[in-house]
């Protein structure tokens, strides 16, 4: 298993030099203390925890997995102790609201810590990871009483949270869900039904688990308009905050699965469990979006995490493993063969991993910073940031997880046959990465959201908000020696707009045209968006080199990687364009019966 080393230089590059986040946070009330120095110190501490405590448990956790018994779920050796340390060091409360015991740091800092923790051990991150969305949901929509009852313990990490949406008959289409909520005389609800695939639904790391549950009231309308949101604790909570009786919610079993084996994926039975309504009746799905948007950016981080970890392992191997000679003459003449990093094809794979990891880091930190502007910016700035987030969240979730999986797969390939052997740990990264394209809305569902709701549904307004920003950036840097990036970026930006118009027109005549175009459209958007972030990084690197500020190798590596991205990965957008322009007929014309022939 690659030993994780947090890429601190690159993290600082994005936060300080590309996003200039110190200056941004100075303008956001309550975040003035988030200076570059303070953030750097916190990130360094987080890196130590990820590298020293969690990374060593990644492979052993995968080997051991979780075990279920009538008494509950046991997580792998070392997991509860690591969680205890995490709580003692105050990590769960880092970016939570001080009103509930949080440290009030920006969400972006929380995302950086999650990246490091999750790269070291994604399965482990799933336990505290889901609490974050649970906290956000209660903060935004809970009653004063619910906030007082649950938030301080969740923020402190003494309790963890879950999201209970999926049932055996429905995941993407939550309109089909059946779990029932019957009103009780005391104002609570009796929740009855079975939820499946519930991450961290049961475990031995915290004393209580707070489930956020979607269910239907007796008189609720059919479909998504009849879903309400409830909070259901594993242990009921007394008025003084102490733990009361065990609630009627139990883990019936845990899934055996392809990856993230140390994360408990639970079947949860609610047998008339006591729950409390959050917000208005029948508004559950709308309220749940607070949770899901947070979770979607969290899941996008998984793509980055697995690209980074696989890259770290593959790079070390490619420098040591000897095989054949370089085509242009020996590079290691004293050895029996050259290290495989001399071979163009190995470099193609390594640079693909590097470009995906570093580009995604810039994209996702930017998104996290937008989230902070939405929370704390004045009305106009918050609205602008919210529009950009609405457009970029499905792109980040689906594109970065697809790209992250590709990067993880290259890691196996670079190891040759050894990549397929468990002991090296590279195949675990592929297995762990695979789920990210499924949960929190599959790639197909994100693509429909992007094209249908965000782009066409806003009449193109959300898209132009972003492409205008890209256009301003290009105009501001057009005469610099970075024109090699600006020219293609400008072309793709313009093409993205015309392409969207053309798809919209076709979809008006036949709605299947939107569905047929959606995933290629999303991948196209992903490559262009990543191109924008690579161009931003290239501009900074170029300026630093011109100013002779030192760290020359780092900035030159950035420019080389940007060039690789623009010349070898961005052109993939052309293939996606051609595919989506080909229309729906080649998918829909064949009668279903012919699929079996
Ligand atoms: C390890 C793991 C952890 C999970 N954790 C949680 C959790 O904590 N909480 C929770 O509630 N759920 C969780 N899930 C569930 C997960 O979110 C769902 O599995 C996922 O949303 C997909 O739903 P589904 O499995 O029902 O697939 P389906 O909805 O049946 O989809 C099957 C296929 O059809 C496609 N499809 C469906 N509808 C459309 C459409 N309209 N257009 C185009 N394509 C479509 C999908 O993209 C997919 O390819 C988890 C799942 C796993 C495996």
């Amino acid at each position: 298993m690659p030993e994780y080393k947090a890429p601190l230089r690159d993290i600082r590059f994005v936060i300080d030099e590309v996003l200039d986040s110190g200056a941004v946070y100075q303008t956001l009330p309550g975040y003035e203390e988030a200076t570059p120095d303070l953030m750097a110190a916190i990130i360094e501490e987080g890196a130590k925890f990820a590298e020293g405590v969690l990374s060593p448990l990644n492979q052993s956790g995968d080997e051991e997995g979780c075990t279920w018994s009538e008494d509950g779920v046991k997580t792998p050796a070392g997991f509860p102790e690591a969680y205890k340390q995490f709580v003692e060091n105050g990590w769960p409360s880092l970016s939570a609201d001080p009103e509930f015991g949080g440290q009030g740091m920006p969400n972006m800092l929380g995302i950086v810590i999650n990246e490091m923790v999750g790269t070291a051990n994604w399965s482990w991150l799933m336990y505290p990871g889901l609490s974050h969305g649970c906290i956000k949901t209660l903060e935004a929509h809970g009653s004063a009483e619910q906030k007082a009852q649950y938030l301080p313990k969740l923020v402190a990490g003494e309790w963890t949270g879950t999201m209970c949406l999926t049932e055996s008959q429905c995941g993407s289409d939550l309109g089909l869900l059946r779990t029932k909520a019957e009103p009780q005389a005391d104002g609570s609800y009796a929740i009855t039904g079975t939820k499946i695939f519930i991450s961290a639904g049961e475990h031995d790391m915290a004393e209580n688990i707070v489930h956020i549950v979607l269910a239907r009231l007796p008189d609720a309308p059919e479909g998504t308009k009849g879903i309400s949101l409830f909070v259901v604790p594993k242990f009921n909570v007394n008025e003084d905050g102490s733990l009361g009786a065990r609630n009627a919610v139990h883990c019936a079993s845990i899934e055996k699965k392809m990856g993230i084996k140390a994360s408990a994926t639970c079947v949860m039975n609610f047998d008339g469990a006591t729950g409390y309504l959050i917000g208005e009746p029948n508004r559950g799905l709308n309220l749940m979006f607070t949770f899901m948007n947070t979770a979607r950016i969290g899941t996008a981080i998984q793509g980055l995490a697995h690209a980074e970890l696989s890259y770290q392992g593959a790079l070390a191997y490619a420098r040591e493993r000897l095989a054949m000679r370089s085509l242009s003459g020996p590079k290691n003449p004293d050895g029996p063969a050259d290290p495989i990093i001399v071979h163009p094809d190995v470099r193609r794979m390594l640079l693909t991993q590097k470009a995906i990891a570093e580009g995604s880091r810039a994209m996702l930190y930017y998104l996290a910073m937008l989230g902070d502007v939405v929370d704390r910016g004045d009305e106009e700035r918050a609205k602008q940031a919210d529009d950009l987030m609405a457009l970029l969240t499905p792109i980040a979730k689906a594109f970065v997880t697809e790209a992250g999986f590709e990067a993880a797969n290259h890691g196996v390939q670079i190891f040759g046959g050894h990549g397929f052997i468990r002991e090296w740990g590279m195949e675990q990264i592929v297995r762990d990465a695979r789920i990210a394209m499924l949960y929190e809305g599959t790639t197909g569902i994100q693509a429909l959201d992007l094209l249908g709701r965000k782009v066409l549904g806003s009449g193109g307004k959300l898209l132009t908000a972003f492409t205008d920003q890209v256009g301003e950036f290009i105009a501001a840097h057009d005469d610099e020696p970075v024109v090699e990036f600006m020219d293609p970026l400008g072309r793709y930006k313009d093409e993205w707009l015309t392409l969207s118009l053309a798809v919209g027109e076709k979809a008006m005549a036949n709605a299947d045209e939107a569905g047929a175009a959606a995933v290629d459209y999303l991948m196209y958007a992903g490559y262009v968006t990543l191109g924008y972030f690579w161009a931003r990084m290239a501009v900074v690197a170029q300026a630093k080199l011109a100013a002779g500020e030192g760290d020359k190798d780092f900035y030159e590596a950035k420019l080389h990687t940007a060039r690789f991205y623009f010349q070898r990965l961005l052109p993939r957008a052309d293939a996606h364009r051609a595919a989506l322009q080909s229309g729906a007929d080649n998918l829909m014309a064949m009668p279903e019966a012919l699929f079996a022939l």
Side-chain angles (χ1 to χ4, degrees):
M1 191 84 211
E3 201 175 293
Y4 174 58
K5 193 94 194 83
L8 293 174
R9 178 68 185 93
D10 200 53
I11 290 173
R12 294 293 307 273
F13 172 71
V14 175
I15 295 179
D16 297 341
E17 299 171 65
V18 180
L19 301 179
D20 195 12
S21 68
V24 173
Y25 286 120
Q26 283 308 303
T27 66
L28 296 178
Y31 286 150
E32 297 88 345
E33 281 179 23
T35 59
D37 284 349
L38 180 64
M39 288 206 278
I42 294 172
I43 291 167
E44 270 173 41
E45 283 309 305
K48 282 184 205 156
F49 180 70
E51 292 168 0
V53 179
L54 295 177
S55 178
L57 301 176
N58 197 10
Q59 195 167 21
S60 57
D62 178 66
E63 297 280 342
E64 186 184 337
C66 293
T67 40
W68 179 91
S69 74
E70 293 283 345
D71 301 330
V73 170
K74 188 174 162 305
T75 57
F79 271 46
E81 293 75 12
Y83 187 76
K84 191 162 176 275
Q85 208 174 320
F86 186 71
V87 171
E88 280 167 4
N89 293 342
W91 291 113
S93 64
L94 185 66
S95 53
D97 189 339
E99 193 187 337
F100 304 107
Q103 299 171 53
M105 282 285 136
N107 287 310
M108 187 187 70
L109 192 59
I111 287 286
V112 176
I113 300 297
N114 276 2
E115 181 206 323
M116 297 189 296
V117 164
T119 312
N121 195 328
W122 192 267
S123 284
W124 188 90
L125 176 65
M126 292 291 287
Y127 297 93
L130 282 140
S131 300
H132 188 64
C134 176
I135 291 169
K136 288 268 159 208
T137 304
L138 286 167
E139 267 178 8
H141 309 297
S143 66
E145 194 188 345
Q146 287 166 349
K147 288 181 189 176
Q149 210 165 22
Y150 299 105
L151 283 174
K153 296 281 190 185
L154 284 165
V155 164
E158 287 175 45
W159 301 350
T160 62
T162 73
M163 60 194 280
C164 297
L165 289 70
T166 306
E167 298 178 9
S168 59
Q169 78 287 357
C170 69
S172 307
D173 186 359
L174 292 168
L176 299 174
L177 78 80
R178 294 189 198 128
T179 296
K180 281 192 266 171
E182 299 274 349
Q184 303 297 293
D186 64 357
S188 69
Y189 292 80
I191 312 287
T192 306
T194 297
K195 297 284 178 181
I196 67 164
F197 296 164
I198 304 308
S199 300
E202 178 59 40
H203 57 78
D204 54 1
M205 288 160 64
E207 63 178 6
N208 202 7
I209 301 174
V210 180
H211 304 287
I212 303 286
V213 184
L214 288 181
R216 283 185 189 286
L217 295 168
D219 54 352
E222 296 278 297
T224 52
K225 293 202 166 74
I227 298 173
S228 302
L229 190 61
F230 298 86
V231 54
V232 183
K234 173 177 168 182
F235 285 97
N236 287 306
V237 183
N238 298 322
E239 274 186 11
D240 64 359
S242 61
L243 290 187
R246 181 76 166 83
N247 205 352
V249 47
H250 289 97
C251 173
S253 62
I254 53 174
E255 306 292 348
K256 293 194 172 73
K257 55 195 195 293
M258 175 179 179
I260 57 164
K261 293 186 177 199
S263 163
T265 305
C266 305
V267 174
M268 300 299 298
N269 284 341
F270 294 82
D271 300 313
T274 305
Y276 305 90
L277 183 69
I278 302 176
E280 304 266 308
N282 300 330
R283 299 269 305 144
L285 212 52
N286 297 52
L287 306 184
M288 199 73 193
F289 270 109
T290 310
F291 201 139
M292 288 196 269
N293 280 334
T294 313
R296 279 175 184 168
I297 298 172
T299 310
I301 287 284
Q302 188 174 356
L304 157 60
H306 286 125
E308 174 68 37
L309 188 61
S310 185
Y311 176 62
Q312 291 193 10
L315 176 62
Y317 192 78
R319 285 175 149 161
E320 280 175 14
R321 176 75 176 174
L322 304 183
M324 299 169 68
R325 289 294 180 191
S326 159
L327 294 170
S328 54
K331 302 290 182 292
N332 176 33
D334 299 334
D338 285 341
I340 60 172
I341 197 168
V342 305
H343 302 309
D345 189 52
V346 173
R347 285 171 162 253
R348 174 185 65 81
M349 293 187 278
L350 283 171
L351 278 163
T352 301
Q353 294 182 299
K354 185 172 166 66
I356 289 171
E358 294 176 10
S360 302
R361 179 169 296 119
M363 187 199 296
L364 299 182
Y365 290 7
Y366 171 75
L367 253 181
M369 197 166 82
L370 283 182
D372 288 323
V373 178
V374 172
D375 285 352
R376 301 287 168 91
D378 60 42
E379 206 176 315
E380 196 189 330
R381 272 176 88 195
K383 169 83 180 79
Q384 282 169 354
D386 201 34
D387 284 352
L388 287 171
M389 270 191 92
L391 180 85
L392 295 177
T393 300
I395 298 175
K397 157 60 176 84
F399 177 76
V400 173
T401 58
E402 294 277 342
F405 182 69
E406 180 195 336
N409 212 12
H410 286 313
V412 168
Q413 197 72 11
I414 290 166
F415 270 68
H418 300 276
F420 201 68
I421 305 301
R422 243 168 124 169
E423 139 191 20
W424 289 94
M426 299 303 283
E427 55 84 51
Q428 182 190 333
I429 305 174
V430 175
R431 288 189 286 103
D432 286 354
R434 185 63 186 84
I435 183 61
M437 295 121 89
L438 293 165
Y439 56 17
E440 291 311 330
T442 60
T443 299
I445 296 299
Q446 300 296 335
L448 286 178
D449 180 46
L450 173 69
L451 180 58
R453 278 187 61 223
K454 305 294 171 56
V455 175
L456 303 180
S458 75
K461 263 172 42 198
L462 297 181
L463 176 58
T464 45
F466 180 59
T467 51
D468 285 353
Q469 175 172 317
V470 175
E472 281 165 26
F473 166 76
I474 294 170
H477 300 283
D478 219 11
D479 53 353
E480 290 186 27
V482 284
V483 74
E484 62 177 303
F485 307 114
M486 298 305 149
D487 278 357
L489 184 61
R491 278 198 307 279
Y492 280 109
K493 171 196 71 94
D494 293 343
E495 186 184 74
W496 188 358
L497 289 168
T498 49
L499 203 53
S500 305
L501 269 177
V503 177
E505 271 173 25
K506 273 187 171 178
M508 287 221 279
N510 173 9
D512 270 342
E513 290 288 348
V519 167
D520 282 300
Y521 182 88
L522 181 138
M523 294 304 286
Y524 178 94
Y527 281 112
V528 179
T529 305
L530 207 66
Y532 166 63
F533 286 100
W534 266 112
R536 285 185 64 169
M537 293 196 284
V539 164
V540 175
Q542 179 64 45
K544 297 278 171 154
L545 283 170
E549 280 186 20
D551 227 354
K552 192 163 164 281
D553 289 350
F554 178 83
Y555 296 120
E556 282 188 345
K558 276 286 166 215
L559 280 179
H560 282 298
T561 314
R563 229 162 256 143
F564 169 85
Y565 183 80
F566 268 77
Q567 294 172 17
R568 284 208 171 239
L569 298 187
L570 185 56
R572 292 178 181 184
D574 299 341
H576 288 294
R577 177 185 31 74
L580 79 93
Q581 282 175 328
S582 74
D585 267 6
N586 52 26
L587 301 176
M588 306 310 284
M590 186 161 91
E592 190 195 312
L594 301 196
F595 275 83
L597 299 180

